[in-house]
Amino acid sequence: MTSINTNSSAMAALQTLRSVNNNLSKTQDAVSSGLKVGQASDNAAYWAIATTMKSDNSALSAVSDALGVGAAKVDTAYTAVESSIDVVTEIKAKLVAATEDGVDKDKIQDEITQLQKQLSSISASASFNGENWVSGSVGDTQSVVSSFIRTAGGVSVSTSGYSATADDLLFADDTGILDRDGAVSGASMTGFSISSTSTKGDIDQLITDTETALKGMTALGSKLGSLQTGIELQTDFVSKLSDSIDSGVGRLVDADMEEESSKLSALQTQQQLAVQSLSIANSSSSNILSLFR
């Protein structure tokens, strides 16, 4: 039976065309954006996971930047310690020279005074972004951001560092590695002085104090070196972790371009056939006119 009021063939062809056009639109979106899951309606579960992990990756990027700042702080402190070791070594050599008979101790003291001023300058200028890790107060917290952690209970940021003791600072509230009292004038490494009246015993004690200061600075340099290594390892890990997250998110939401290309070609062909089918279905009604001629 053929009806001019209801064309079942045309309706079926129209539904097919609509379905093809809908699929074609999705495929074109995937091809243009490169994403098979671009919004929650595409796949709610994958979209939620990808959105969360992208947010975490942004936090990791901030951690990487913070590690860079932390590395600069530690490098600055290490450079100060290394330079101070060179200066104290030179002071030690001057003191050894002062033990010789007939040496003008006052002139040696003039040289030592310049070296002491250099020590104070190194310590005071070893600052990065307003933080000085080698000259401060005992109990100061020296820390750098090391990682961003997500657990079932929530998220947190961890840090690496230490709470400074007198052994962690060149100068600190009249203590510190270079502020320990010596045998002459109750002196620190930057405050002692020798003169023509200084005895060999006085100078020997100062040499001993200088050696103690060198050991303390060497230990501090070792601690800072360990922290440098830790920061470098953490920076490398954060970089690799960020790449892994990007790769994992890509597996969830990125479109397979080879597959989408094949689907696009097939759907374009289906669209043409559906249009042709609808045209044929619509023309069947007009054929009824021939029955009335």
Side-chain angles (χ1 to χ4, degrees):
M1 169 183 159
T2 301
S3 171
I4 61 173
N5 293 319
T6 304
N7 190 334
S8 299
S9 297
M11 288 190 290
L14 182 59
Q15 289 298 327
T16 299
L17 180 59
R18 284 173 177 168
S19 177
V20 170
N21 284 342
N22 185 50
N23 291 333
L24 183 60
S25 177
K26 290 181 179 179
T27 302
Q28 287 174 329
D29 287 343
V31 170
S32 61
S33 66
L35 299 172
K36 66 180 178 182
V37 181
Q39 52 191 354
S41 59
D42 295 329
N43 187 314
Y46 282 3
W47 178 85
I49 294 172
T51 300
T52 300
M53 297 313 297
K54 286 178 181 178
S55 176
D56 286 357
N57 223 7
S58 295
L60 283 175
S61 178
V63 168
S64 181
D65 293 340
L67 283 168
V69 174
K73 294 176 185 177
V74 177
D75 289 347
T76 300
Y78 179 80
T79 299
V81 171
E82 198 171 37
S83 298
S84 295
I85 288 174
D86 293 339
V87 174
V88 173
T89 299
E90 189 65 23
I91 290 175
K92 178 181 173 182
K94 299 299 180 185
L95 289 172
V96 171
T99 61
E100 297 180 19
D101 293 335
V103 172
D104 190 336
K105 294 183 178 67
D106 291 329
K107 289 184 178 179
I108 290 179
Q109 178 56 41
D110 290 340
E111 295 178 293
I112 290 176
T113 297
Q114 294 304 315
L115 293 171
Q116 289 171 327
K117 289 180 179 179
Q118 182 64 18
L119 268 183
S120 297
S121 175
I122 289 171
S123 175
S125 61
S127 176
F128 184 87
N129 194 32
E131 292 188 39
N132 191 323
W133 281 31
V134 296
S135 180
S137 300
V138 171
D140 286 349
T141 300
Q142 321 293 358
S143 63
V144 295
V145 173
S146 60
S147 63
F148 173 83
I149 303 170
R150 176 179 291 279
T151 64
V155 297
S156 62
V157 176
S158 66
T159 60
S160 298
Y162 55 90
S163 179
T165 66
D167 292 330
D168 299 318
L169 300 165
L170 299 181
F171 295 95
D173 303 333
D174 296 324
T175 56
I177 295 171
L178 300 179
D179 262 342
R180 295 190 176 92
D181 289 344
V184 179
S185 304
S188 69
M189 280 296 105
T190 57
F192 76 82
S193 63
I194 62 174
S195 65
S196 58
T197 61
S198 298
T199 66
K200 184 177 184 301
D202 292 335
I203 296 174
D204 284 345
Q205 182 60 53
L206 284 172
I207 292 174
T208 299
D209 293 339
T210 302
E211 185 64 27
T212 300
L214 283 170
K215 289 180 179 179
M217 287 187 290
T218 301
L220 175 56
S222 178
K223 176 178 282 190
L224 292 172
S226 298
L227 194 54
Q228 282 177 316
T229 300
I231 290 174
E232 289 173 2
L233 290 173
Q234 188 64 23
T235 299
D236 184 58
F237 170 71
V238 167
S239 176
K240 291 179 179 178
L241 179 59
S242 180
D243 290 343
S244 295
I245 290 175
D246 280 338
S247 178
V249 169
R251 291 190 183 97
L252 293 178
V253 301
D254 287 354
D256 182 337
M257 298 307 289
E258 291 87 351
E259 179 182 350
E260 297 301 331
S261 176
S262 298
K263 286 172 61 178
L264 184 63
S265 297
L267 287 168
Q268 287 172 336
T269 301
Q270 291 176 30
Q271 183 186 49
Q272 294 173 7
L273 291 173
V275 170
Q276 185 66 28
S277 176
L278 180 60
S279 177
I280 294 171
N282 285 332
S283 65
S284 63
S285 297
S286 62
N287 293 333
I288 298 176
L289 291 174
S290 63
L291 298 176
F292 298 95
R293 292 174 184 170

